Amino acid sequence: DGMGNLRVTKKGIRLEGISEFLLPLYVKEIHSRKDSPLVLQSDRNVTVNARNHMGQLTGQLTVGADAVEAQCKRFEVRASDGGKVLFSADEDEIVIGADRLKVTGTEGAVFGHSVETPHIRAEPSQDLKLESPTRSLVMEAPRGVQVNAAAGDLKATCRKELHLQSTEGEIFLNADTIRLGNLPMGSSSFSSSFSSSSSPSSSAPRQTIYELCACPNGKLYLSPAGAGSTCQSSSNICLWS
């Protein structure tokens, strides 16, 4: 019923131990024993080819010393039950079907082109940072972009100008307190006459109320409040802005 480690059974051919094939082996199925794994070993690489009825190569899987390469029209990785597709790739797109994509590298994820996603969030108790070290960072959505900080501050800083622009609607600031820090102090005839009439020894009340003024170009500045408006369009702030 065979020779050496080779046995001929009713179900086919059975090999015991380690077997070496010097020429191609053509079989329909290869099974290991129920209590043992199936090991394919080579000094260079292991290549599995799939061909059609005309002998043309339709798929190839190569396990080498440096890389594992798959060549086919579509590559899929499915869940253990064989139903859900966890990963798929073809010439047009790569689809990740897992419930969560987690990147654990210290440098994060780098995308060479645009990214489309309905939701980006960080791990619990971790910060989320979107950064473009040398170029611009653009977020676009046809129906709006919403940024929320449910339990913390929302900060936007830049080196040069910060522009808030609405082409058709309005810019709405809704808060209990709105502060505009570091506004320049404009000059007016009221403040000049008040300072000239007051001697250094007089105990003049400290100015605590100011009027918010705007230049023709939209620049804001402060002016000491008086009985009437103290804003001056010819203020030095407007002349040099």
Side-chain angles (χ1 to χ4, degrees), residues 113-173:
H113 299 282
S114 62
V115 178
E116 297 181 7
T117 176
H119 191 190
I120 298 178
R121 69 178 181 181
E123 290 287 342
S125 303
Q126 298 294 328
D127 295 333
L128 175 64
K129 185 177 182 181
L130 303 178
E131 180 181 2
S132 178
T134 59
R135 293 296 184 268
S136 301
L137 178 63
V138 179
M139 292 187 294
E140 295 181 352
R143 300 185 61 180
V145 177
Q146 185 175 1
V147 181
N148 293 329
D153 298 334
L154 179 62
K155 297 181 180 179
T157 59
C158 62
R159 183 177 180 181
K160 296 183 179 180
E161 291 84 5
L162 177 62
H163 296 271
L164 299 177
Q165 181 180 1
S166 177
T167 56
E168 297 181 359
E170 61 182 6
I171 298 177
F172 181 66
L173 302 178

Side-chain angles (χ1 to χ4, degrees), residues 34-75:
K34 294 183 179 180
D35 57 347
S36 299
L38 176 64
V39 179
L40 302 178
Q41 182 174 327
S42 173
D43 292 338
R44 295 187 179 180
N45 58 55
V46 176
T47 301
V48 179
N49 294 331
R51 300 180 183 273
N52 58 17
H53 65 282
M54 300 179 61
Q56 298 174 343
L57 184 65
T58 58
Q60 184 179 79
L61 177 63
T62 302
V63 181
D66 299 328
V68 177
E69 299 179 359
Q71 179 181 349
C72 54
K73 292 183 178 180
R74 182 178 179 84
F75 179 77

Side-chain angles (χ1 to χ4, degrees), residues 178-191:
I178 298 178
R179 296 182 180 180
L180 301 176
N182 298 325
L183 288 179
M185 181 67 64
S187 62
S188 65
S189 58
F190 172 80
S191 60

Side-chain angles (χ1 to χ4, degrees), residues 2 31 58 77 89 91-92 96 98 110 189 192-193 218 226 230 236:
H31 296 275
T58 58
V77 177
E91 293 183 357
D92 297 328
I96 299 177
V110 179
S189 58
S192 300
S193 60
T230 60
N236 62 333

